[in-house]
Amino acid sequence: MARQADEHLVSAQVKLPKREVERPLRQVARRLAMALVVLVSTAFIVYADSDGYSDNHDGKLSLLDAFYYATVTLSTTGYGDIVPASDAARLTNIFVITPLRVLFLIILVGTTLEVLTERTREEFRLNRWRSQLREHTVVVGFGTKGRSAIQTLCATGLKKEQIVVVDPSAKVIQAATADGFVGVIGDGTRSDVLLRAEAQKARQVVIATQRDDTAVLVTLTARQLNRGAKIVAAVREEENAPLLRQSGADAVITSASAAGRLLGLSVLSPSAGTVMEDLIQQGSGLDLVERPVIKAEVGRTPREVEELVVSVVRGHRLLGYDDPAIGKLQLTDRLITIVRATPGPSGVPDVRPLPSD
C-alpha cells in the first residue's frame, strides 16, 4: 500500500518552469575539486614545517603523515597522535589550518545545505503559485493539438504563467516547463491530478488528448470539479462529438473531419483553402475575433459595422450575419468579426482598434 501511494504521488507532480542553474553533477564535481585542493594545500603546508610537528609513532613526519594529519584535522576528527609542537607550527594551525578547516567544512556541508535550500525555495514557489493562480487555462495533453492550442492562446495575449499543462509523460512535461509553462505529471482523468493543476479555479479547460474515450473521461472529471469553466475538447471521430457535449463540453472540435473538410476545400478552391488556413492561424494575416458591441454600433445592422461581421452572439444563440432575427445590434450582443492582424512590438498580435464612441 505504501509503495502504491508513493508511485501515485510521483505520478501527479507539479513542475514549475525551470530556472537556469548549473547541472547537479557539475556542481558536485566542482565542490569536490575545491575540497581536494584545500586538502592537498593543507597537507603540503604541514609537510613544509614537518620539524614543528611531533608524531607519537616514530617522531618523524612523512608526506603520508602530513596527508593523514590534514585529513583528520579538516574533518575535525583529531586523534591527537600528530600534534604541532613548535610555536611556528601552532601559529600556522591558528592562522592557516583553522581557516582551511572551516573552508573545507563549508564546501562539504554547503552542498547539503544548498540542496535543502533549493527544495525549500521550490516549495515556496509552488505555494505562492497556488495562492496567486486564478482564472487560468488548463490544457490536458501537450501533443500536436495541445501545442497548437497553446500557441493560439499565447498569440492572443494570454501569458504563459496563466497556462497549466497536464500530461502523463514526464518527458512531455519537461518540454512544457522548458517552454515556460507550469506542468503537472499525471492522468487527466483523475480528479486529484486536475486538482493539482487547480482546475477548480480555472477559467477554461482545453482537452487535447490522443484518444476519444480519454477525452470523455477528462471532460466528465473537469466538469465535476468546475461547473463554470468553459471546456473545449477535441475528438478524432465525429460520432463521439455528441458524447463529449453530453459529458459537459461547451465546444467540441472534430480534428479528423475538420482536416478533411479543409483538404476538400483546398482541392475545390486552393485560394479558399489558403484563406481558411490563414483564419485558423492566429496572429498573422486575417483573424477571427469575438468582441462586444460598442455604443456607436448599437442600432445598426451587421452590414453597417466597419469590420466584416460573420456572426452575432445574442444570449446563448449564434446568429449568422444575414439572419433576420438579428434586426438591430444591441449593447449586450457580441460580434464575431474578421480583422487584419498586425504583429505588435512585443510580438503579440494587435488587431485593428475598435471604432471610438
Side-chain angles (χ1 to χ4, degrees), residues 40-275:
V40 173
S41 301
T42 305
F44 278 105
I45 291 173
V46 173
Y47 184 69
D49 190 22
S50 58
D51 295 335
Y53 289 82
S54 174
D55 187 355
N56 296 333
H57 176 63
D58 54 7
K60 297 180 180 181
L61 190 71
S62 64
L63 182 60
L64 178 60
D65 294 334
F67 272 96
Y68 166 74
Y69 175 76
T71 303
V72 298
T73 300
L74 294 180
S75 63
T76 68
T77 304
Y79 293 111
D81 47 353
I82 299 177
V83 295
S86 66
D87 293 340
R90 292 177 177 177
L91 288 173
T92 302
N93 263 263
I94 293 174
F95 295 106
V96 180
I97 303 300
T98 299
L100 289 175
R101 180 187 303 118
V102 174
L103 178 61
F104 186 82
L105 292 176
I106 289 176
I107 292 173
L108 294 184
V109 178
T111 303
T112 303
L113 292 178
E114 185 174 350
V115 172
L116 295 177
T117 303
E118 181 62 28
R119 289 182 178 179
T120 303
R121 186 185 300 114
E122 193 70 14
E123 188 68 23
F124 174 76
R125 288 182 64 204
L126 183 59
N127 292 333
R128 185 177 62 178
W129 169 77
R130 290 186 184 279
S131 62
Q132 295 179 349
L133 193 64
R134 293 290 187 280
E135 298 293 316
H136 60 289
T137 300
V138 177
V139 179
V140 183
F142 198 61
T144 303
K145 292 180 291 186
R147 291 173 186 266
S148 299
I150 290 177
Q151 183 179 4
T152 301
L153 291 173
C154 292
T156 58
L158 187 64
K159 297 181 179 180
K160 290 185 177 182
E161 295 79 8
Q162 287 296 108
I163 297 177
V164 181
V165 177
V166 178
D167 199 281
S169 173
K171 292 183 178 179
V172 171
I173 293 300
Q174 184 178 1
T177 56
D179 290 340
F181 305 106
V182 176
V184 177
I185 305 174
D187 187 356
T189 62
R190 301 183 62 91
S191 59
D192 58 333
V193 174
L194 293 183
L195 285 173
R196 287 180 178 270
E198 301 295 325
Q200 71 278 11
K201 298 186 295 184
R203 181 181 181 181
Q204 47 201 10
V205 179
V206 178
I207 301 174
T209 57
Q210 299 297 325
R211 295 170 55 93
D212 289 358
D213 53 352
T214 304
V216 172
L217 292 176
V218 174
T219 302
L220 287 169
T221 306
R223 181 55 72 197
Q224 183 181 17
L225 295 175
N226 193 329
R227 296 293 182 182
K230 181 178 181 180
I231 299 180
V232 179
V235 293
R236 292 179 176 271
E237 302 297 334
E238 193 168 359
E239 61 184 12
N240 294 325
L243 184 59
L244 262 295
R245 294 188 180 91
Q246 293 176 7
S247 302
D250 297 293
V252 180
I253 306 300
T254 308
S255 57
S257 298
R261 284 191 289 268
L262 184 58
L263 285 173
L265 180 61
S266 299
V267 171
L268 296 175
S269 174
S271 299
T274 302
V275 172

Side-chain angles (χ1 to χ4, degrees), residues 339-351:
V339 298
R340 173 68 63 179
T342 56
S346 61
V348 178
D350 182 22
V351 299

